Amino acid sequence: MTFRPALFKELLRFNLIFTNTAVTDKLRQKHAAKLKERPEALSDLILRKNYLWPGITVFLIYSLLFAAVDFAALPMYLDFLVLMMTLVPIMQSFTAFYNIFYESADTTAYMPLPVYPQELFLARLAVVGLAGCAFLAPVVSFFALFFWRNGFGWPTLILGTILWSLVVFFVYTYLNIFILQLLAKTAAFSRMNSQVLTVVNVLGQLLAVVVLVFAIWTVQGVIDIGANGLVSSPGPLSGLILSRWHWPVLIGILLVFAGLAVLVYRRLAVHYYDTVFTVETARHGKKQAVRSDRARQAADGSLRKILWQYNWRRLDDVTLVSQTLLSPILLPACLILPQVFLGNQLSAAFYEDPLMGILAGLLFGLGMALVTNAMGVPLAGNIVSMDRGDFSYICTLPLDMGTYIREKWLFATVISGLLASLAIILGGLALKLWLGILPALLVYWLLHAIISANWIIFDLRNLHLTWQSATDLLNRVPRALMALGIFLGMGLVSAVVIGLGALAFFKGPLLGLVLTLAFITLLVLGLALMARVRRQAVRF
């Protein structure tokens, strides 16, 4: 079978459109006149809006943020940044790979068409690869800054930056493909059992967290204070680049990746339809098995019980469960666990003074509420759109829509808050914040409830009921810009929490406690006012 570049280009264009239907609808409305004359320009608009401009923005901002880092004195910092910028996107995207390849509603429609499986496989791989480029854009600036700080010439700086960036991109792609095939095999073996797929998903994310925690722990252990500032020894990657074996090893790595590309094409791309058929057969069997139980599951009960059962059954998409419930908890763990392992979690003052313990709990709850609700679009930001076509039917029922939305908000708030509450309790016990656990939980649930209200209003104002896959739904916010917002948001939250803690440590716990309570009160009032104002614009 001959590969046809012209058809591949058309498939790429179609998949760009149907993987981003929420963005597509907005662009069609905004550029209606232009698209009427040139309909094919739609894919170019999507490419620029969802991939090119977010990637350039992320690259420029990260370049400015890390331009001051002295990679000559801290070479291991390159290893840590590259590892972090590779694993964190994988935690955010490997279920998206599975979702696009094996759960898109249009996948089986290609089979009767004169489309080779490898052409569709590569077109979809190109789409998710474009998203990966936007995620991994900061790596280019990291390598460039490393070569520049260590005195390499311009030819080495340019060529080395390009080649090592390609290596990172290949690592990102191949790891995602490996997990993609693992999920596909698991789906077929377990007959699309959501619990089994979720367990595999959780194990994959936990493995990434363990690696990141170990990396943070290692970096904290090797950085020292020298005569001119912070210094560290080279890590495996930075040490290789600084050694005489740099170019031979780099060329060898690229040759291995070229061989893997041939293997992926022959073993996976060519047999893509076979794997899709296996997954679809398992999914069809699952639907037949549960169809007879639907009436019994929606049997007698209170309205709240019926709505909660309905919402619970909507949580059967592995990608949505992963990105809205698991990732927001696992990434903050990367920041907390290294401190626990190192044993220098907090100053002794936080344990000796009860007010300091309470203050630490308030700051802990504040940080968890803000960070976990900013790690992408949470469950509350998708809960109404998850109804898909059922939403129109629900609107025709003799049901007060205000009650319906409140139950949606309550369900999303409680379900997404349980894991975070468990993390707060375990983190408080590990950090020995005996007096701070209860204040942390109170602050967390107060802020979490109000932020969830704002997210559900976001979902109502950007309602998307025709999504082809969970990734399409999550792409209502460009993922590269979301990743940047996560990074900057975590930095801002960390600055606020550390600043208030330092103020209390140096100026007294009572002043710190008063200022923290004042900050939390203003934040709650501001978020509540925002939700009230934005709610006025929502109409059913």
Side-chain angles (χ1 to χ4, degrees):
M1 293 182 291
T2 304
F3 181 79
R4 296 165 291 182
L7 183 58
F8 169 77
K9 182 179 178 181
E10 289 301 308
L11 288 172
L12 177 60
R13 187 169 67 85
F14 290 150
N15 279 276
L16 276 173
I17 293 172
F18 290 109
T19 308
N20 302 276
T21 55
V23 178
T24 299
D25 293 340
K26 292 182 180 179
L27 290 176
R28 278 177 173 156
Q29 295 174 5
K30 185 177 181 180
H31 302 278
K34 179 180 178 180
L35 294 175
K36 187 175 182 180
E37 298 177 1
R38 292 183 59 242
E40 66 277 6
L42 180 59
S43 57
D44 297 332
L45 291 172
I46 294 173
L47 187 64
R48 289 198 296 269
K49 180 178 177 59
N50 248 35
Y51 302 100
L52 182 60
W53 297 127
I56 293 175
T57 303
V58 169
F59 170 77
L60 292 176
I61 291 178
Y62 273 88
S63 298
L64 293 173
L65 286 174
F66 289 94
V69 176
D70 187 359
F71 286 100
L74 295 167
M76 182 172 276
Y77 207 53
L78 173 72
D79 300 64
F80 171 69
L81 289 175
V82 170
L83 181 65
M84 181 182 71
M85 295 308 300
T86 304
L87 286 182
V88 171
I90 287 176
M91 293 170 65
Q92 295 286 321
S93 66
F94 72 81
T95 49
F97 267 65
Y98 175 76
N99 201 250
I100 290 173
F101 276 86
Y102 296 119
E103 290 190 330
S104 292
D106 62 337
T107 301
T108 54
Y110 285 99
M111 292 184 179
L113 301 177
V115 175
Y116 295 150
Q118 63 267 34
E119 292 170 334
L120 180 59
F121 183 92
L122 294 178
R124 291 188 163 174
L125 186 62
V127 171
V128 293
L130 287 170
C133 289
F135 272 123
L136 299 173
V139 173
V140 180
S141 62
F142 297 155
F143 280 114
L145 289 169
F146 181 85
F147 282 110
W148 173 59
R149 285 285 189 177
N150 283 279
F152 287 89
W154 284 105
T156 302
L157 188 153
I158 295 173
L159 186 60
T161 297
I162 294 173
L163 293 181
W164 277 110
S165 299
L166 282 175
V167 167
V168 173
F169 176 76
F170 284 136
V171 169
Y172 166 83
T173 303
Y174 288 139
L175 283 176
N176 272 304
I177 289 176
F178 172 77
I179 301 174
L180 164 72
Q181 293 306 114
L182 178 63
L183 285 173
K185 298 295 184 183
T186 304
F189 178 76
S190 65
R191 296 182 181 272
M192 292 301 297
N193 188 300
S194 299
Q195 288 78 15
V196 175
L197 288 172
T198 303
V199 168
V200 174
N201 191 340
V202 171
L203 292 177
Q205 296 209 37
L206 285 176
L207 179 61
V209 168
V210 169
V211 174
L212 280 175
V213 168
F214 179 77
I216 296 173
W217 189 10
T218 302
V219 170
Q220 289 178 334
V222 300
I223 290 180
D224 201 357
I225 300 177
N228 298 318
L230 297 176
V231 295
S232 76
S233 57
L237 176 59
S238 54
L240 173 62
I241 295 176
L242 295 172
S243 73
R244 68 175 183 271
W245 297 102
H246 173 208
W247 291 110
V249 173
L250 177 57
I251 293 172
I253 292 173
L254 292 173
L255 290 175
V256 170
F257 285 157
L260 285 175
V262 175
L263 185 66
V264 167
Y265 182 83
R266 291 181 176 178
R267 295 292 182 88
L268 302 181
V270 173
H271 302 285
Y272 177 44
Y273 284 168
D274 296 334
T275 311
V276 170
F277 179 76
T278 302
V279 173
E280 283 297 319
T281 302
R283 181 181 292 112
H284 180 73
K286 178 195 174 187
K287 289 181 179 179
Q288 292 293 333
V290 303
R291 189 172 296 161
S292 61
D293 295 333
R294 287 296 173 85
R296 179 177 55 80
Q297 290 175 349
D300 297 333
S302 65
L303 177 62
R304 170 166 293 178
K305 182 179 179 181
I306 293 172
L307 290 176
W308 276 57
Q309 288 176 343
Y310 168 76
N311 289 322
W312 183 259
R313 288 198 300 270
R314 287 292 175 180
L315 293 178
D316 61 350
D317 191 291
V318 178
T319 301
L320 280 174
V321 171
S322 168
Q323 301 302 321
T324 61
L325 295 178
L326 300 177
S327 293
I329 303 301
L330 294 176
L331 289 178
C334 298
L335 303 176
I336 298 172
L337 289 177
Q339 311 308 319
V340 176
F341 292 151
L342 286 175
N344 58 353
Q345 305 97 320
L346 296 170
S347 169
F350 283 91
Y351 304 117
E352 297 170 355
D353 192 326
L355 289 180
M356 291 292 275
I358 295 173
L359 174 62
L362 293 176
L363 295 176
F364 190 17
L366 171 66
M368 284 293 291
L370 295 179
V371 170
T372 55
N373 282 283
M375 303 299 294
V377 181
L379 180 61
N382 298 291
I383 189 68
V384 181
S385 293
M386 287 168 63
D387 287 345
R388 281 180 153 170
D390 290 344
F391 183 77
S392 299
Y393 170 71
I394 291 170
C395 289
T396 65
L397 297 176
L399 173 67
D400 178 55
M401 291 305 295
T403 301
Y404 174 71
I405 297 300
R406 280 194 297 273
E407 291 299 325
K408 285 277 189 183
W409 165 76
L410 185 61
F411 175 84
T413 301
V414 172
I415 296 300
S416 59
L418 291 177
L419 283 176
S421 298
L422 179 62
I424 288 174
I425 294 172
L426 294 178
L429 293 175
L431 294 169
K432 301 178 183 179
L433 293 175
W434 318 119
L435 295 177
I437 294 177
L438 182 58
L441 289 172
L442 291 174
V443 170
Y444 169 78
W445 278 101
L446 177 62
L447 287 171
H448 175 58
I450 297 175
I451 296 173
S452 294
N454 278 278
W455 272 117
I456 204 168
I457 294 172
F458 162 84
D459 192 21
L460 290 169
R461 296 182 67 176
N462 298 274
L463 201 59
H464 185 37
L465 303 173
T466 58
W467 45 280
Q468 300 293 319
S469 64
T471 303
D472 178 21
L473 180 60
L474 296 170
N475 278 351
R476 286 181 294 174
V477 179
R479 297 177 72 82
L481 291 183
M482 180 61 74
L484 177 63
I486 290 170
F487 178 83
L488 296 178
M490 289 182 67
L492 180 61
V493 171
S494 299
V496 170
V497 171
I498 293 173
L500 289 171
L503 181 66
F505 183 77
F506 291 108
K507 299 295 184 179
L510 184 60
L511 176 61
L513 194 61
V514 170
L515 291 177
T516 301
L517 289 172
F519 178 81
I520 292 173
T521 302
L522 290 175
L523 186 61
V524 168
L525 292 175
L527 290 170
L529 179 62
M530 182 188 302
R532 183 177 180 83
V533 171
R534 295 172 68 227
R535 174 66 181 85
Q536 303 304 316
V538 178
R539 295 290 183 271
F540 299 108

